Amino acid sequence: MNIDLIAGARPNFMKIAPIIDAIYEARSKGNNIGFRLVHTGQHYDKNMSDSFFEQLGIPEPDINLGAGGGTQAEQAAAIMVGYEKLLINEKSDLCLVVGDVTSTMACAIAAQKLHVPVAHVEAGIRSGDWTMPEEINRMVTDSITNYFFTTTEIANNNLRKSGVEEERIFFVGNTMIDTLLKHRHRFQKPSIWDELGLKNSEFIVMTLHRPANVDQEFKLRTLVDEIVTNSKDLPLIFPVHPRTKKILENLGISHPRLHMIEPLGYLEFNFLVENAKCVITDSGGITEETAVMGIPCMTLRDNTERPETISRGTNELIGTDPKAIKPNMEKLFSGNWKKGGEIEKWDGKTSERIVQHLLNIFSKK
């Protein structure tokens, strides 16, 4: 069995890395399973990517499609053309896609049209928000997927409601958490820790990148002002997404406690998260990591595709209205933030389960 592992953006590699480990482990036990790591080139920054691959022990991609930037349609088209050529020249037995980026959808489409079955890791999650490109990517991918690997029972139910047969749904857990638990003991202090004299639970981590928060200049300024005003005297550590950095520079936003820094490596960023008072974010993946680490998390979104981080974790969906910052900060500083609990099958063994299911599936063919 030869599998194409598709990745196009940083979160994809966090999800792919433990699957690669599980494939190596299965091969060491005599199983006939191989992979081809396909980087679509959707997002690429040499400085960030090189350290990322090194930190997570990811091998160099076998193929880089070099799709590059552009609009959603331009990216999708470039990825589909590149992946189609690859499959025509050398067909794989399975296309395994993860998450919900453009690469996920584009490679699934190209594979199915050439009769290569598709497995989707993180299948079935839904926000219900069609204004988000990721939601469209999820829905399209799941509509043409053969094997669905899910993170929660909520995702299972979403798939059942859409008519997916039970035998094609595999509840395995969360590969992002496999990566987190494997590398947690290796988290590294970033230079900002000593530079600012940071202390455990005495600073706040921020990340903002979604258009709903950063594209409207007045709203972004108000959000940042509210966070600064209501965070007492704590330092605010803000690794800035390149897209957001440009907007912040145009606005001239600055404050002595607001430290806008370059994006960090995986180990450095999660060191900060694990030691923070709380995280304020609009990222989906970070809410999963804070849930497992037990760190209070405020999500500046009106919806989430990861409701388990709220019902079982430490996350609260507070919306995009800047007025929501103050009452939630008061709740945090009063010590009344919820503690969260364990989430089923988020135990570091998801990738082993995925590979075992694949071996079982292909042994019957």
Side-chain angles (χ1 to χ4, degrees), residues 133-144:
E134 296 90 343
E135 184 74 354
I136 306 304
N137 294 340
R138 293 176 201 122
M139 294 173 70
V140 172
T141 302
D142 281 344
S143 71
I144 56 172

Side-chain angles (χ1 to χ4, degrees), residues 108-272:
I109 293 171
Q112 283 292 8
K113 289 194 173 186
L114 290 173
H115 313 298
V116 174
V118 172
H120 185 197
V121 173
E122 250 188 30
I125 65 174
R126 297 286 184 272
S127 69
D129 184 355
W130 284 29
T131 68
M132 293 175 62
E134 296 90 343
E135 184 74 354
I136 306 304
N137 294 340
R138 293 176 201 122
M139 294 173 70
V140 172
T141 302
D142 281 344
S143 71
I144 56 172
T145 286
N146 300 87
Y147 310 111
F148 301 82
F149 294 106
T150 61
T151 55
T152 65
E153 188 61 36
I154 297 168
N156 297 343
N157 285 329
N158 289 337
L159 293 170
R160 291 179 189 122
K161 287 175 188 174
S162 69
V164 177
E165 301 91 339
E166 199 69 39
E167 59 269 22
R168 294 200 289 137
I169 300 172
F170 303 92
F171 176 25
V172 290
N174 191 332
T175 63
M176 279 266 287
I177 304 308
D178 287 11
T179 295
L180 182 77
L181 296 179
K182 177 183 176 181
H183 295 284
R184 194 171 185 177
H185 72 285
R186 298 178 57 236
F187 290 171
Q188 297 174 7
K189 265 196 314 186
S191 58
I192 194 77
W193 183 273
D194 290 329
E195 288 168 12
L196 297 180
L198 297 178
K199 297 177 182 177
N200 180 263
S201 297
E202 294 185 15
F203 64 94
I204 291 170
V205 173
M206 293 170 56
T207 77
L208 296 172
H209 72 278
R210 295 194 182 274
N213 288 324
V214 303
D215 281 4
Q216 300 173 46
E217 292 189 354
F218 175 77
K219 185 175 185 180
L220 177 60
R221 178 184 288 280
T222 309
L223 272 174
V224 174
D225 285 348
E226 284 293 311
I227 293 168
V228 169
T229 301
N230 293 287
S231 53
K232 296 197 172 181
D233 58 350
L234 297 188
L236 300 162
I237 312 302
F238 189 0
V240 184
H241 192 283
R243 168 192 177 86
T244 312
K245 184 178 182 180
K246 186 178 291 186
I247 298 169
L248 290 167
E249 286 173 350
N250 292 340
L251 288 171
I253 291 176
S254 66
H255 188 277
R257 287 191 292 108
L258 179 62
H259 304 279
M260 292 183 277
I261 63 174
E262 291 293 312
L264 296 169
Y266 180 84
L267 300 178
E268 292 84 1
F269 179 74
N270 278 299
F271 181 94
L272 287 183

